[in-house]
Amino acid sequence: MKIFLDTANLKEIREAAVLGVVDGITTNPSLLARESGDPEQILVEICKTVDGPISGEVVATDAEGMVQEGRHLASLHKNIVVKVPCITEGLKATKVLAGEGKRVNMTLIFSPSQALLAAKAGARYVSPFVGRLDDISTEGMALVADIIEIFDHYDFDCEVLAASLRGPMHVVEAAKMGADVGTMPASVFASLLKHPLTDSGLKRFLDDWEKAKALLAAKVG
Ligand code: E4P
């Protein structure tokens, strides 16, 4: 599964990118609004930091406006993927942008039927929001499973991007299901590597090593 970070924070992105396992970035207007600086410049800087798909979202709500914004965003850098909300106008815009060869990430997907239409319109990614469904007592991961099952029957050139992942087990479940991509905040990404037994195990190895060296030195000396 490809790992994307869901953040527009350059410090977080730089710190994670050096690990060599971050494949792309998703941003949204809320994430960009949290950062200081020009959103377009931030997007370009992210593109220079991570050489993979970088989603930048349109804020127009009519198809024509979305297409104009999408063209502009795509012109900023070759890595930009245009993020478009899954509404009627978004579907129209996706068809046009995909027809021009631009990659579209159809976002705010909360049902399998939305994902099916997004794929048919030519979206390169569909983003089902797992955490936001969990927030309203609905099994978010079941949506990811449904979309994967539907896409398995067809030949869509569309990747399932599990979004709104809120913890490490969301990431593991998405990977077990075979989601193409999982996008997560930097804090969730950091938690993927952590295990107390790894830390205590390493400490014991190093302590034993030091003790053995001290014993050997005492024998030789
Ligand atoms: C995905 O592209 C969205 O930016 C994101 O995953 C939303 O996550 P949230 O529901 O935690 O805000």
Side-chain angles (χ1 to χ4, degrees):
M1 184 172 77
K2 278 168 267 185
I3 290 184
F4 288 7
L5 289 189
D6 193 39
T7 177
N9 185 280
L10 276 161
K11 185 171 175 286
E12 286 181 349
I13 292 170
R14 287 188 183 117
E15 280 171 9
V18 292
L19 301 187
V21 292
V22 173
D23 302 293
I25 304 289
T26 50
T27 71
N28 62 41
S30 307
L31 292 170
L32 277 161
R34 276 186 215 158
E35 305 302 317
S36 56
D38 175 49
E40 287 189 4
Q41 279 175 12
I42 294 173
L43 275 175
V44 171
E45 208 47 51
I46 294 173
C47 289
K48 289 181 190 163
T49 309
V50 174
D51 190 17
I54 311 297
S55 290
E57 188 162 341
V58 299
V59 289
T61 50
D62 63 299
E64 205 182 309
M66 288 177 178
V67 169
Q68 295 306 329
E69 261 189 75
R71 285 179 184 145
H72 176 67
L73 285 168
S75 75
L76 295 175
H77 196 282
K78 66 174 176 53
N79 289 353
I80 295 280
V81 172
V82 183
K83 215 174 181 190
V84 175
C86 192
I87 56 176
T88 306
E89 294 299 295
L91 207 64
K92 291 183 205 165
T94 296
K95 185 84 187 169
V96 174
L97 290 166
E100 294 175 1
K102 295 175 179 60
R103 291 174 298 172
V104 173
N105 172 0
M106 188 139 255
T107 190
L108 290 168
I109 293 215
F110 292 97
S111 76
S113 55
Q114 287 180 315
L116 177 62
L117 294 183
K120 285 182 68 73
R124 184 75 183 76
Y125 302 91
V126 286
S127 288
F129 276 34
V130 175
R132 292 196 193 184
L133 280 169
D134 286 359
D135 288 345
I136 57 159
S137 305
T138 304
E139 181 53 67
M141 210 48 82
L143 171 60
V144 178
D146 281 346
I147 297 171
I148 291 171
E149 184 182 338
I150 291 168
F151 284 14
D152 274 352
H153 295 302
Y154 306 102
D155 232 3
F156 297 129
D157 189 15
C158 182
E159 298 190 34
V160 180
L161 193 167
S164 186
L165 301 180
R166 301 273 178 79
M169 290 317 292
H170 269 164
V171 180
V172 170
E173 283 176 55
K176 281 170 78 174
M177 284 174 187
D180 300 290
V181 189
T183 191
M184 66 207 74
S187 56
V188 174
F189 173 69
S191 73
L192 299 181
L193 193 61
K194 287 274 166 224
H195 200 289
L197 289 179
T198 304
D199 296 338
S200 61
L202 177 61
K203 183 175 179 327
R204 198 191 300 172
F205 285 154
L206 296 178
D207 288 349
D208 289 346
W209 185 251
E210 285 308 318
K211 273 185 231 153
K213 268 190 356 190
L215 264 177
L216 191 65
K219 271 189 208 156
V220 173

